[in-house]
Amino acid sequence: MTSAMVEHKHGEGFSLEDLTPEEQQLLSTIREKKRQLLEEIQELKKEIDDVTTELEGIDMVEESKPDPKTKQISIGKKKFNMDPKKGIEYLIEHSLLQDTADDVARFLFQGEGLNKTAIGDYLGERNEFNVEVLKAFVTLHEFSDMILVQALRQFLWSFRLPGEAQKIDRMMECFAERYCDMNQGVFTSTDTCYVLSFAIIMLNTSLHNPSVKDKPTAERFIQMNRGINDGGDLPEDLLISLYDNIKKEPFKIPEDDGNDLMHTFFNPVKEGWLWKQGGRYKNWKRRWFILNDNCLYYFQYTTDKEPKGIIPLENIQVREVPQDKANKPNCFELYSGGNDIIKACKVDGDGKVVEGRHTVYRMSASNTEEKEEWIRCIKMSINDNPFYDMLAARRKNATGTISSRK
């Protein structure tokens, strides 16, 4: 059919009857090919979407996989917190630390994830290598143009002072030498700095320990430090300034009391990777879970310093979930019964801590054994009556205090 004929037919209103049987057959074939092409395009789009989703899932899993070196560092820190000597040996054996006092000192000085009591114990050891580490550790502190109290505050915050007198002696001696090197002319000798530093620590205890009833005055502090400057006296205005500084603000002694997240997590009941189902969107995300202190914490990565979410194991239960119900194998879930929201919190996309809205937390383990172990450990950690337990513990302490006074 010529173009003129097509234009003529269009002008009069196109109809299939205007086409010859051959033309109608050709048009039908074209339409069928068009339909098939559209179907193939839709199928390709679906395949592209599926592949994209799969790739994103692979990327997430790959990103979530702990780097072997990072994992070894984490293990080394945990070992250090439980046994400082073994922790350092492990890190050196795995080439994560050089076998030098300077490198070990830098590791302790940075202190990330390390128990400060363990740092103090390691630095206080008397063997030759530990003493060299202590000296290198002290030289990492910058005390230039600081009054003695400021320098002491910085120094005593970097570790927990051990209880043994010999360890304290070595550490304070290194401190005094470093301070005098960086502040020439303030004291006639390192011995003066050493004695005064001890006097300041004792003053801090006397002024701020509730059990000490007889609080020393500034005059008494001055009297206590007579003759320590190579037989002479230190300026009274210096001693009064030190006294006022300590009286106004006590030393912040680092406590390993569980407020440090790494201390909370360094010896958990159980830890490992689980798939966690979302609340609003029922997608699954791989998370690192830690069970400790009657709480279940979950992280995006093992190297995260703070958890993405915290689930207190209070007044809730745990149960297995059949695969046909969860669409994923080896599932279990935490639930409160009814439609009650589980008391929990999480960090949202903006970094804000918000209250969780889950009535159920559903997780999937890698195999049946892992699932059963998680359920067992969680059941042991569930606390049905936290307030009662807290009250009982408080009453026990109070009773012990009363008994000790009799």
Side-chain angles (χ1 to χ4, degrees), residues 25 35 61 64 72 77 127 156 186 218 223 246 254 324 397:
Q25 181 62 40
R35 186 188 64 77
V61 171
S64 299
Q72 286 179 334
K77 288 179 178 180
N127 69 64
L156 296 177
V186 175
Q223 185 66 35
I246 290 296
D324 58 352
N397 288 339

Side-chain angles (χ1 to χ4, degrees), residues 56-68:
E56 287 175 350
I58 292 171
D59 288 343
M60 186 190 74
V61 171
E62 288 299 320
E63 289 175 5
S64 299
K65 285 182 180 178
D67 176 65

Side-chain angles (χ1 to χ4, degrees), residues 78 147 178 255 271 289 297:
K78 291 177 185 178
I147 64 170
R178 175 65 173 169
E255 296 285 347
E271 62 182 338
F289 279 79
Y297 306 85

